[in-house]
Amino acid sequence: MTTTSTPVEIRHLIGDEWHGASDGTTFESRDPHDGTLLANVARGTADDGAAAITAARTAFDTGPWPQMSPKERATILRAVADAVDEHREELAQLETRDGGKTISQSLHAEIPRVAHNLRFFADYVSMAANEAYPDGDLLSYVLYPPAGVVSAISPWNAPLMLATWKIAPALAFGNTVVLKPAPQTPLTANRFAEIALEAGLPAGVLNVVHGFGGEAVAGPLTSDPRVDRITFTGSSATGVHILQAAALNHTPVSAEMGGKSANIVFDDADLDVAVPMSIRAIFGGNGQVCLSGSRLLVQNSIREAFIERFAEEAAKLTVGDPKDSGTFMGPLIEQRHLDKVAGYVELAQEEGGKVITGGERLTGAAHAKGFYYPPTVITGLTNESRTAREEIFGPVETVIGFDTEDEALRIANDSPYGLAGMLFTQNLDRAHRMAARWRAGTVWINTFFERDLRLPFGGEGISGLGREGGQYSREFFTEPRAVTIRLRK
């Protein structure tokens, strides 16, 4: 695959062969910046999904991958990571054109993280501690055999980074995988699969099928009894459907879903840190990040001054062609999503909110063909408003004031979501107190979006189910087995 303007044909990878849809249908993938046709993509059917599961099942039951030592698998995964590094520019260009993510973010953050995901889990398998429990003439220990076939369903907002967040641990622990990337961003999934095969990954260990979540291809991936694990990142509504389908076969699911995370700024915060971090927390990634700090809670003693500075910085952000290195925000993913974001801004004003900056679709010459929406800051709402409670998944920040620590925590926890939180303060005691009481899977203090892959990642409430990362990925992608032996005297 190349990054030329000629549309490419995207097919399913099933075993070691590339297939069109079983009924011959396709769908288009277009550049959200200008509508350029990037690819015609195989539109998967139930037969395609079932065939991919068969290939993964065969590779697991009869192939070499699960029987390899962790060191042997790690050698191949590191070779794939090296190949990703070699193709970093190509993969970054594909990611940017397919999803509208800025080239700076693709090139310097997300594609490097793809390689890091692979290397981390390649190393982790051999370094993870194992348990042994001697008790007199009894010796008990724990084995971690691979679970089997993994269905991995990844989103469009960080396509390859989040796909490999699932693929890397699944493969490292000896499983085989069927990946269904989001239909909006299919390009890098297929190029990655090509690279992985070229680097030595055995046939059938990684399979890729394309299609829409509500259509036939997704059915087998969530309800086929030959699937042993399902790992999903996406909306809370889609996650519910997946959980319902998986329940029929008691298939374990790890689901990272939506977020409406609070970002709390106290009056003792270092504003030279809090303002730029808060800008990044909501407007980075075009605002299409489940971890975004989309509820900005500012202590009333500094609220007006903070809003003025925050809005001024937001208005300065460069919104434009994501292929330009100086662009901070690119386009939203598609027209339907743009309409959703704009609809919430209209709703906010109906609810009594005041738009401080932004608030209208960008339609000038540089933006005319794309799905562009500016950084938008809204004040005057309470935490009870729909705009402040529902996930917008766009560059829209609602600002709410508070007076006390307890009030801030009450507002932060007054949400059905519980994915993440941000806190800016120089009071270390306060930081620890609040982190302990915050109903969120991740709490960042005086920073944002920094990750150690050994930590658990996931959400509470409707933000998700389960945790992945480090030992938590091992527990999910393996089937822990207790062994007890009586020693002869």
Side-chain angles (χ1 to χ4, degrees):
M1 185 182 299
T2 66
T3 57
T4 67
S5 58
T6 303
V8 297
E9 300 296 320
I10 297 290
R11 296 176 291 170
H12 308 310
L13 174 61
I14 299 176
D16 60 353
E17 297 181 353
W18 299 92
H19 298 268
S22 62
D23 64 1
T25 58
T26 63
F27 63 93
E28 295 179 343
S29 179
R30 291 185 175 270
D31 188 331
H33 164 62
D34 60 10
T36 300
L37 178 62
L38 301 175
N40 292 297
V41 188
R43 191 169 192 148
T45 66
D47 288 342
D48 297 328
I53 292 169
T54 297
R57 187 81 256 169
T58 300
F60 183 81
D61 291 339
T62 65
W65 189 254
Q67 307 306 320
M68 289 181 180
S69 69
K71 183 179 293 186
E72 291 172 320
R73 290 196 296 267
T75 297
I76 294 175
L77 292 178
R78 290 192 195 100
V80 177
D82 291 343
V84 167
D85 285 340
E86 293 170 8
H87 292 274
R88 184 177 66 152
E89 177 73 32
E90 176 194 358
L91 290 168
Q93 290 288 344
L94 289 173
E95 203 81 297
T96 289
R97 296 190 70 206
D98 210 16
K101 192 175 296 293
T102 66
I103 189 61
S104 178
Q105 189 169 4
S106 296
L107 189 60
H108 300 298
E110 300 215 352
I111 301 305
R113 169 66 187 277
V114 168
H116 182 52
N117 285 342
L118 293 161
R119 292 192 179 99
F120 173 83
F121 284 105
D123 293 339
Y124 184 84
V125 174
S126 61
M127 294 190 297
N130 291 304
E131 302 101 308
Y133 305 96
D135 183 13
D137 57 356
L138 290 179
L139 175 63
S140 298
Y141 57 93
V142 181
L143 298 176
Y144 289 91
V149 173
V150 174
S151 283
I153 303 170
S154 58
W156 50 257
N157 62 323
L160 193 54
M161 184 183 82
L162 290 176
T164 54
W165 173 243
K166 304 170 184 307
I167 293 168
L171 297 187
F173 291 110
N175 301 279
T176 58
V177 174
V178 178
L179 171 68
K180 195 198 84 63
Q184 295 90 342
T185 51
L187 270 64
T188 50
N190 268 50
R191 187 67 184 109
F192 174 80
E194 291 175 343
I195 290 169
L197 289 174
E198 292 166 0
L201 193 69
V205 172
L206 174 62
N207 307 271
V208 182
V209 291
H210 299 277
F212 293 81
E215 296 186 355
V217 69
L221 304 188
T222 57
S223 62
D224 194 309
R226 297 175 297 168
V227 171
D228 299 290
R229 294 290 188 274
I230 301 169
T231 172
F232 164 75
T233 299
S235 73
S236 299
T238 302
V240 169
H241 292 299
I242 290 173
L243 290 167
Q244 290 171 336
L248 297 174
N249 297 310
H250 296 184
T251 306
V253 178
S254 176
E256 186 234 315
M257 300 189 280
K260 191 71 174 181
S261 300
N263 175 12
I264 303 176
V265 181
F266 282 90
D267 60 9
D268 68 338
D270 181 346
L271 297 191
D272 290 335
V273 174
V275 171
M277 279 289 179
S278 297
I279 289 284
R280 179 185 172 202
I282 182 59
F283 302 126
N286 307 341
Q288 300 170 139
V289 180
C290 52
L291 294 162
S292 291
S294 51
R295 288 185 298 151
L296 180 57
L297 313 183
V298 184
Q299 199 159 24
N300 283 322
S301 54
I302 62 166
R303 182 164 59 92
E304 293 303 321
F306 185 93
I307 290 172
E308 181 178 357
R309 183 170 171 181
F310 180 81
E312 181 180 340
E313 293 301 315
K316 293 178 183 177
L317 298 176
T318 303
V319 183
D321 188 342
K323 297 185 292 297
D324 292 343
S325 60
T327 296
F328 185 86
M329 278 177 50
L332 301 184
I333 188 66
E334 59 188 358
Q335 181 67 53
R336 181 175 62 173
H337 190 57
L338 174 64
D339 292 342
K340 173 189 172 184
V341 172
Y344 269 107
V345 174
E346 293 175 5
L347 173 63
Q349 294 172 86
E350 293 171 5
E351 294 177 314
K354 179 182 178 182
V355 175
I356 302 300
T357 189
E360 293 185 0
R361 178 180 181 174
L362 299 175
T363 56
H367 308 104
K369 294 182 179 180
F371 309 120
Y372 284 96
Y373 204 85
T376 298
V377 180
I378 301 173
T379 63
L381 296 174
T382 69
N383 199 54
E384 284 67 45
S385 69
R386 284 183 56 197
T387 311
R389 296 190 69 79
E390 298 175 10
E391 185 179 38
I392 300 174
F393 215 63
V396 178
E397 183 71 282
T398 58
V399 186
I400 299 172
F402 70 89
D403 288 312
T404 67
E405 179 180 316
D406 284 344
E407 183 185 7
L409 194 62
R410 178 187 60 76
I411 296 172
N413 286 337
D414 181 17
S415 171
Y417 296 98
L419 189 58
M422 290 120 259
L423 172 64
F424 292 92
T425 181
Q426 297 188 66
N427 185 324
L428 185 60
D429 291 336
R430 171 190 288 149
H432 285 302
R433 283 195 305 268
M434 294 193 68
R437 298 170 59 199
W438 207 321
R439 197 174 67 92
T442 297
V443 176
W444 282 291
I445 299 170
N446 296 326
T447 188
F448 172 68
F449 212 66
E450 296 188 275
R451 292 283 313 282
D452 184 319
L453 301 192
R454 293 171 293 184
L455 294 174
F457 183 74
E460 300 185 28
I462 65 172
S463 286
L465 179 72
R467 297 290 187 272
E468 293 181 34
Q471 70 184 51
Y472 307 91
S473 288
R474 178 172 71 166
E475 291 172 3
F476 180 71
F477 289 110
T478 65
E479 197 64 73
R481 181 175 303 147
V483 178
T484 298
I485 182 171
R486 182 173 291 279
L487 304 175
R488 289 188 296 176
K489 296 181 179 179

